[in-house]
Amino acid sequence: MAEGNRKDITELIQNECPQEPLTDEQISQKLFILRETVTNSRKKLNIPSSRERKRMNVKKAVERLQATNSEITITSLVTKLKQQGFKVSRSYIGELINSEGNEIELRSRAEDKKEMDSFQKLTGYDGSLSNNIKQGKASVLYPPFGLPTLIIGESGTGKTLFAECIYQYAVQKKIIEVDGPFVSLNCADYSDNPQLLLSMLYGYKKGAFTGANQDTEGLVERANQGILFLDEIHRLPPKGQEMLFSILDKGKFRRLGEVANERKSQIYFIGATTENIESSLLLTFRRRIPMIIELPSLKDRSIKEKIQLIYSFFQEEANRTHLKIFVKAKIMEAFVLKKYLGNIGQLKSEIQVTCANAYVEKMNNSRDEINIGFNEMLYHNFFNNNTENSEMQATKLTVTFKDMLFIPNAANQGENVVTENDSHYSLPKDIYEKIEEKYYELKKAGVT
């Protein structure tokens, strides 16, 4: 029986539409067998999943198009692939080309030649973040090598992403080379061991301390001709802050244990903190940081921006799962009215958790989409007695919420998307694969 299943599965896959390969669920429905039977048989036959098969088919189609026109743009590729029946987006094709290490240069058409500002991917770039972005651009363009900058704001406001946008802008403006370094360190990870923190930052001389068996360079050296980003910089001890004076003033520093040898490193310095800088950083250190950029909390963002963020995060999950996500209007409204002490990071995390819960229901009911409806328990767990102030509540009178359907790999709303936030909020990238593995593991064990 198993051998017959494998033969039928192989035959179906061999004759499937290249543009839309059959999912395991679709195959199970056609053959009237369990989905896990299809999945197990497919794996034993070393046949990739439907997502991987589609990716392989798209890659072959892209290579054929590039073979006939080596200067074809991503926009043209997407257009021609759609004409062939593939459902793809610019972001999907761009990611495919980058991940495959494609060496064919995709030159821009007239409308592509105008390079998109790296900050434009931020929700609120032309709204609540507009002044912050002006500050970021000014700091990186200031000769000869930018102004030392400190990004402040509550946890989850996107400080790391903003620093990365500054780096990308510096590369676009040719202030930093394309392969110039972006070296980051979260000082909180080593706050319990100041000696280790300083040795990582500045490097050390052989014999400087027990275990220092050889001369070792630090992050300051690695960041030469690039950006050094220190997150949670208030965790840097006073001695560490003072050691930065020389690198900020003269571009010089010493490794731990060195006395006479002064080294050089030209860096663009960015720090970030959630704390009050007047009480957490030395005055002499603050005087050396002329540019202070304070990112707004989520409650200070406009309703429009909050809605854009929610849309973008649901779209990310659709892209991530390669499944349609249907969200009831009541759930959309609840996310908008919710108070988020963890700001954008918490908002993103709660959307991910909601999608993960609904993903399990989708598996239980053998659906082809993730359906996020009005579930009383879910509503009370996430939203009850935790809504924004009366001004937010007033949006019910001015904003009409609708049921939303998010299509995998579709363009995001205005393409103004925050893709990363403080990492301790986001779920692992493989969370859905882990859910699926555990689901079938438990089902095999007879657990409902």
Side-chain angles (χ1 to χ4, degrees), residues 181-438:
F182 179 88
V183 178
S184 64
L185 174 70
N186 191 320
C187 299
D189 293 341
Y190 303 93
S191 59
D192 294 334
N193 192 335
Q195 184 76 7
L196 177 59
L197 175 58
L198 297 179
S199 66
M200 288 192 63
L201 193 55
Y202 303 106
Y204 51 84
K205 183 181 179 182
K206 180 180 179 181
F209 51 85
T210 303
N213 300 321
Q214 60 183 13
D215 291 348
T216 303
E217 72 172 7
L219 300 182
V220 167
E221 285 178 84
R222 294 182 201 171
N224 186 36
Q225 299 298 316
I227 284 180
L228 175 64
F229 174 61
L230 299 184
D231 199 5
E232 303 291 352
I233 196 172
H234 60 276
R235 298 294 189 94
L236 196 64
K239 180 183 177 183
Q241 295 179 37
E242 291 171 349
M243 290 177 72
L244 280 172
F245 292 174
S246 182
I247 191 72
L248 294 175
D249 295 341
K250 306 173 185 177
K252 297 180 180 180
F253 70 100
R254 288 190 178 91
R255 291 178 178 175
L256 293 182
E258 289 183 334
V259 178
N261 187 25
E262 242 186 357
R263 301 173 183 271
K264 292 183 179 180
S265 184
Q266 186 181 47
I267 63 169
Y268 177 81
F269 178 80
I270 305 176
T273 180
T274 57
E275 301 296 309
N276 184 322
I277 60 175
E278 293 184 6
S279 59
S280 62
L281 299 176
L282 297 173
L283 175 61
T284 46
F285 180 68
R286 299 201 311 270
R287 286 174 177 169
R288 289 172 165 82
I289 311 292
M291 183 62 74
I292 309 293
I293 301 175
E294 183 172 7
L295 298 184
S297 62
L298 187 56
K299 70 178 185 297
D300 295 326
R301 299 286 200 105
S302 68
I303 296 299
K304 178 183 176 183
E305 289 178 9
K306 193 170 183 179
I307 292 173
Q308 286 178 339
L309 285 166
I310 291 168
Y311 283 3
S312 70
F313 291 144
F314 273 117
Q315 183 63 58
E316 280 184 33
E317 296 310 298
N319 295 347
R320 187 174 173 186
T321 60
H322 298 278
L323 292 168
K324 296 176 183 177
I325 297 179
F326 178 76
V327 187
K328 293 291 289 183
K330 189 67 176 178
I331 299 298
M332 297 299 296
E333 178 183 325
F335 271 110
V336 171
L337 297 177
K338 172 87 160 51
K339 186 193 303 180
Y340 300 93
L341 298 179
N343 293 290
I344 300 173
Q346 184 188 348
L347 168 61
K348 179 176 183 178
S349 177
E350 294 198 357
I351 287 176
Q352 288 181 332
V353 170
T354 302
C355 290
N357 285 334
Y359 185 77
V360 176
E361 290 300 315
K362 169 255 175 198
M363 295 181 69
N364 280 329
N365 299 319
S366 301
R367 292 175 179 159
D368 291 329
E369 66 180 33
I370 296 175
N371 193 311
I372 302 175
F374 183 77
N375 180 298
E376 195 66 30
M377 184 63 71
L378 180 69
Y379 184 85
H380 281 292
N381 283 346
F382 278 80
F383 312 114
N384 196 34
N385 299 322
N386 195 16
T387 54
E388 283 286 7
N389 55 33
S390 57
E391 183 180 343
M392 269 293 213
Q393 292 285 6
T395 60
K396 289 185 177 182
L397 303 176
T398 59
V399 178
T400 301
F401 295 95
K402 299 179 180 179
D403 295 346
M404 293 294 298
L405 181 65
F406 298 91
I407 308 296
N409 298 312
N412 289 289
Q413 303 294 323
E415 297 188 1
N416 307 323
V417 183
V418 177
T419 56
E420 294 290 340
N421 282 291
D422 296 349
S423 59
H424 58 276
Y425 285 106
S426 295
L427 297 181
K429 291 183 178 179
D430 63 346
I431 185 66
Y432 293 99
E433 287 82 355
K434 289 184 181 296
I435 289 174
E436 193 161 346
E437 288 173 8
K438 182 59 67 174

